[in-house]
Amino acid sequence: MSQGPVGTSDVVVVGGGAAGLSLAHRLVETGVATVTVVEPPDGPARPAERTWCYWDHGDGDDDAAGGGDGGFDEAVTGTWPLLRVHGPDGSPLTVDPAPSRYRMVRSTAFERLVHARLERSPGGRVLRATADSVRDVPGGAEVRCTAADGRTLTLRSRYVFDSRPLRALPPARTRLLQHFRGWFVRTRTDRFDPAVADLMDFRVPQPGHGLAFGYVLPLAPDRALVEYTEFSRTPLTTAAYEAALGHYAREVLRLGEFTVDAAEQGVIPMTDARFPRRAGAAVFRIGTAGGATRPATGYTFAAVQRHSRAIAAALRDGRCSVPAPHGRRALAMDAVLLRALDTGRIDGPAFFTGLFRRTPPQRLLRFLDGATSVREEWGIGLRTPVGPMLRTALEVPFLPRRPHPAPGTGESPR
């Protein structure tokens, strides 16, 4: 892709992942601003291919990637109308959240789609360079970067939106990690139901702290993403993930003979830290660095779409502030749940299985997306272990926030 002349634009977006490209696409498609996206050149600085999943609620809204003329349907590589959870006792629970569907987007297809749209637009471009510094300057912000050929480039804009990972996490009362490894497997015989996504399969050995589960997204009767995930304080070694995945695929799923076409691995913080949305007068953080990841679940992609739309609306209306990706009430509930899981006051597998068993699926998905009313949340809360959750809710406001190191880079598929 041609870089074009280096100079000025209304907005510079640093980082070409889900958050950066989603915002750039939204701004250009709606005509709110001209945009330059700064992405690392090909090489070790570019992240490996990733998987992002979300719920398309089937309401015609394009907050998530699915709906509307400006959506990302072309990048969707899998859709599942049914969701299933396997409890610790092995019993399955299948729910139909119609009209919602669970959808998968692969980062390579998403990047290809958005790059093509930016290239066709007179207001958008992609610059392959390494961002070295971002700072406020009179009248806006400046990004200094280094091109693949070693040239130093300077970009000026009214605003910069930075999606690069933070070097250190903000202080938090609780920090768990969602860490995982997944295999894209191909079986010798048909082993999967392409209509059903297994969101949480607790038929795996549980760690001494936190919880573990399997995750299966069928792509065809003989192909699927099979993953092992833990919510705990410390990631595993690759060898330990491989052993856990092997046990899950062979002993629990009983896949028989299979081959692994590709693998992905990552870690993402599950924390009640307060992520700063602003890094300067004209510099803002977006994506996981800006708090878009839902602390108690790791879901990010749909929140990024909603946040991109809110940012575009703010710029259109002349507001120089960025709204929060998640509401205060949702974050407060997540802080309580994280603390209850971390202290062991609630049994994680029983808790999540109970949520699916006792809550209507549409309401549960809205809850996980932070879109439920106070009344709905009260009803869901009464279906959880009330005593431990109430004790934790009373404790959390008085806990000190402590610094934590940033985990290794990675994006959860959820």
Side-chain angles (χ1 to χ4, degrees):
M1 182 178 296
S2 174
Q3 293 181 355
V6 176
T8 62
S9 56
D10 296 328
V11 169
V12 170
V13 174
V14 180
L21 289 179
S22 296
L23 177 59
H25 173 263
R26 171 69 64 176
L27 295 175
V28 170
E29 283 286 296
T30 56
V32 171
T34 58
V35 181
T36 298
V37 179
V38 179
E39 291 186 2
D42 291 336
R46 291 189 67 81
E49 188 171 20
R50 292 143 291 163
T51 299
W52 303 312
C53 290
Y54 66 97
W55 288 285
D56 168 21
H57 293 292
D59 54 9
D61 195 344
D62 61 352
D63 282 358
D69 293 337
F72 306 121
D73 283 349
E74 298 167 55
V76 173
T77 55
T79 300
W80 298 272
L82 302 177
L83 307 176
R84 185 165 56 201
V85 172
H86 290 267
D89 60 356
S91 58
L93 172 67
T94 303
V95 299
D96 181 355
S100 295
R101 296 160 298 173
Y102 198 58
R103 312 183 93 188
M104 171 199 283
V105 173
R106 293 283 280 162
S107 62
T108 299
F110 181 77
E111 291 167 4
R112 188 185 310 119
L113 174 64
V114 177
H115 283 178
R117 291 181 178 179
L118 292 176
E119 191 173 49
R120 292 195 301 266
S121 169
R125 63 171 175 160
V126 176
L127 175 66
R128 289 293 182 88
T130 301
D132 300 315
S133 65
V134 178
R135 66 188 185 101
D136 285 320
V137 296
E142 177 184 273
V143 179
R144 292 187 177 181
C145 43
T146 304
D149 60 5
R151 288 180 300 141
T152 300
L153 310 174
T154 301
L155 306 176
R156 293 275 181 106
S157 61
R158 285 193 296 149
Y159 303 107
V160 170
F161 293 89
D162 192 348
S163 67
R164 292 174 299 173
L166 298 176
R167 294 182 178 179
L169 294 176
R173 294 167 296 204
T174 306
R175 192 212 70 167
L176 294 174
L177 299 177
Q178 179 177 154
H179 50 100
F180 64 91
R181 184 171 175 85
W183 288 339
F184 285 86
V185 304
R186 188 182 302 268
T187 57
R188 185 173 181 180
T189 59
D190 292 350
R191 294 288 182 176
F192 305 106
D193 182 350
V196 184
D198 284 298
L199 290 188
M200 286 184 157
D201 187 343
F202 292 110
R203 296 176 296 170
V204 297
Q206 294 299 310
H209 179 268
L211 61 95
F213 57 89
Y215 178 73
V216 182
L217 299 182
L219 301 171
D222 63 341
R223 292 186 298 115
L225 169 60
V226 177
E227 182 187 298
Y228 174 82
T229 298
E230 282 193 15
F231 294 177
S232 61
R233 294 175 181 169
T234 308
L236 306 180
T237 64
T238 297
Y241 288 122
E242 289 281 296
L245 263 172
H247 174 269
Y248 181 54
R250 297 181 178 92
E251 305 302 324
V252 178
L253 297 179
R254 298 187 181 278
L255 296 184
E257 186 177 339
F258 66 88
T259 57
V260 177
D261 294 335
E264 62 180 23
Q265 184 171 318
V267 56
I268 192 168
M270 304 176 69
T271 170
D272 63 356
R274 295 170 178 165
F275 286 84
R277 301 195 301 276
R278 203 163 197 155
V283 180
F284 302 88
R285 294 198 179 276
I286 57 173
T288 296
T293 298
R294 184 73 192 266
T297 65
Y299 284 103
T300 306
F301 192 78
V304 159
Q305 308 312 315
R306 293 192 298 270
H307 200 216
S308 296
R309 190 170 80 163
I311 292 172
L315 295 184
R316 180 196 62 212
D317 297 340
R319 290 179 276 127
C320 58
S321 61
V322 172
H326 298 288
R328 292 182 180 179
R329 202 168 66 245
L331 294 179
M333 290 187 294
D334 283 2
V336 173
L337 177 55
L338 288 177
R339 177 68 179 176
L341 287 172
D342 193 37
T343 58
R345 288 178 188 149
I346 61 172
D347 178 273
F351 177 86
F352 285 106
T353 302
L355 276 183
F356 276 88
R357 289 192 184 281
R358 303 186 189 106
T359 308
Q362 265 292 327
R363 186 181 306 166
L364 179 58
L365 297 192
R366 289 200 310 275
F367 174 73
L368 295 176
D369 265 352
T372 41
S373 66
V374 174
R375 183 176 180 179
E376 288 175 319
E377 289 160 6
W378 180 257
I380 292 172
L382 292 176
R383 295 179 173 91
T384 65
V386 175
M389 295 297 282
L390 181 59
R391 176 187 171 189
T392 305
L394 294 173
E395 173 190 69
V396 162
F398 301 99
L399 296 173
R401 294 181 180 271
R402 304 188 308 267
H404 295 278
T409 58
E411 294 190 54
S412 170
R414 285 169 300 288

